[in-house]
Amino acid sequence: MKFLIALLGLLVVFGLAYIASNGKKKIRYRPLVVMIVLQVILAYALLNTGVGTFLIGGFATVFKSLLDYANEGIAFVFGGLTTVGAESGGAPFFLNVLMPIVVISALIGILQYIRILPFVIKYIGLVLSKINGMGKLESYNAVASAVLGQSEVFISVKKQIGLLPKHRLYTLCASAMSTVSMSIVGAYMTMIEPKYVVTALVLNLFGGFIIASIVNPYRVTEEEDILEVQDEEKQSFFEMLGEYILDGFKVAIIVAAMLIGFVALIALVNGVFSSVLGISFQELLGYVFAPFAFIMGVPWKEAIQAGSIMATKMVSNEFVAMLNLKETAMSARTTGIVSVFLVSFANFSSIGIIAGAVKGLHEKQGNVVARFGLKLLYGASLVSVLSAIITGLFL
């Protein structure tokens, strides 16, 4: 039965992408089939094989160790505050989940400085470009987005931003919204199972190209297929380190501020809806998103709960939704499917973040991004649904 539902889900996702396509006759189906098959193989390998379990275990162990090391610095600065919450039955979210972002950001900076990350990103991108049928720039951008983040990635390709036509710019932005930055992966792993974080990272990488190839199909000529990566401004090691540490701290503060605002506002709106209609706003959204949860493989009896969490992610962000997921009692299968759906930047606030990042580098192109912002969110959301459907096949 789950295979039939997955097939229905795939038809719905591809149908919705096809409806929004701006070049239906330009769609190339061979790369699509190859990438879907790769998604299925990779999902099976990660979730149902010993090799996948070993790789995910290693990945999780590395991040757990990084979080432990991060706690050394956090404990030094904040003292007993890190244990007060744990002793009272909770945990100080800002200190235990968000502050480690500072340390991971610093490590990313070091790997950038010694040229390991640029090398890895560039050559993984070149391999991807042979598979997805798109340009080197698009492939590089997808891999770089998963490491550097949805706003920082554009700095590395700023030489080409102003020269890109609208269709190529859409693909770059869609990749940035469909992935998550490595600096916050550790935070996700404290909230949902690491295997679902890793699975989502891998599937979204291909899913972004699959949906973009339908919604926004085009061919890149040899003359256009150029990749010019901007070298970072020459800095001393400690200048760079200080900059990345501060960047990580800014991300933690921004996420904390967003959480305070969104959690409080959602509670307020829920209270108003409950008083007036007798049903909370999140429950109401749950009914709207329940059909999408069902085609992802969620049993219908849990579809409204799952749909509510999915909607929360869309209207606020993935952190708020992950907090709700932790507090919601659902089956292991449903929790796994929804977890994969949540691991992306596909929400309304990301439209402003991406448009602002591009506008900071090229004002005209930033305005172009703002105009197709809703279509960007539409495509990135389909990527998340697609990854969740593939995951549901193996849970």
Side-chain angles (χ1 to χ4, degrees), residues 28 66 110 113 140 145 153 156 170 213 231 262 277 298 338:
R28 288 176 289 164
L66 291 177
I110 292 169
Y113 189 82
Y140 167 87
S145 296
V153 67
S156 66
Y170 176 92
S213 296
D231 289 328
F262 277 119
L277 301 176
V298 173
V338 175

Side-chain angles (χ1 to χ4, degrees), residues 150 176-180 310 312-318 341-351 376-384:
Q150 66 177 340
M177 191 181 280
S178 301
T179 56
V180 294
M310 291 164 60
T312 299
K313 183 241 183 159
M314 291 272 292
V315 299
S316 56
N317 61 45
E318 70 278 8
F341 175 86
L342 297 182
V343 182
S344 83
F345 288 141
N347 57 60
F348 283 100
S349 60
S350 286
I351 298 174
L376 198 59
L377 178 59
Y378 181 86
S381 299
L382 290 179
V383 173
S384 294

Side-chain angles (χ1 to χ4, degrees), residues 68-83:
D68 290 340
Y69 293 132
N71 285 333
E72 294 288 327
I74 295 166
F76 179 81
V77 173
F78 293 99
L81 287 176
T82 56
T83 56

Side-chain angles (χ1 to χ4, degrees), residues 315-362:
V315 299
S316 56
N317 61 45
E318 70 278 8
F319 279 101
V320 180
M322 287 176 187
L323 288 171
N324 285 353
L325 181 62
K326 285 182 71 174
E327 297 166 359
T328 306
M330 295 188 292
S331 66
R333 173 178 168 79
T334 297
T335 300
I337 291 171
V338 175
S339 294
V340 170
F341 175 86
L342 297 182
V343 182
S344 83
F345 288 141
N347 57 60
F348 283 100
S349 60
S350 286
I351 298 174
I353 292 170
I354 291 174
V358 175
K359 193 166 187 174
L361 299 171
H362 195 285

Side-chain angles (χ1 to χ4, degrees), residues 159-188:
K159 286 183 179 179
Q160 291 177 263
I161 289 290
L163 306 174
L164 294 175
K166 179 181 176 181
H167 55 272
R168 296 192 73 186
L169 188 60
Y170 176 92
T171 300
L172 262 62
C173 294
S175 295
M177 191 181 280
S178 301
T179 56
V180 294
S181 61
M182 203 58 66
S183 62
I184 60 175
V185 164
Y188 292 157

Side-chain angles (χ1 to χ4, degrees), residues 263-343:
V263 170
L265 285 172
I266 288 173
L268 172 63
V269 174
N270 280 340
V272 171
F273 271 72
S274 296
S275 300
V276 176
L277 301 176
I279 182 173
S280 73
F281 179 63
Q282 282 177 290
E283 288 175 322
L284 188 63
L285 287 177
Y287 285 99
V288 175
F289 278 77
F292 291 98
F294 179 72
I295 64 168
M296 283 162 41
V298 173
W300 184 251
K301 63 182 180 181
E302 296 178 313
I304 295 172
Q305 284 179 297
S308 176
I309 294 169
M310 291 164 60
T312 299
K313 183 241 183 159
M314 291 272 292
V315 299
S316 56
N317 61 45
E318 70 278 8
F319 279 101
V320 180
M322 287 176 187
L323 288 171
N324 285 353
L325 181 62
K326 285 182 71 174
E327 297 166 359
T328 306
M330 295 188 292
S331 66
R333 173 178 168 79
T334 297
T335 300
I337 291 171
V338 175
S339 294
V340 170
F341 175 86
L342 297 182
V343 182

Side-chain angles (χ1 to χ4, degrees), residues 56-74:
I56 290 171
F59 197 77
T61 299
V62 168
F63 272 92
K64 184 181 182 304
S65 298
L66 291 177
L67 295 178
D68 290 340
Y69 293 132
N71 285 333
E72 294 288 327
I74 295 166

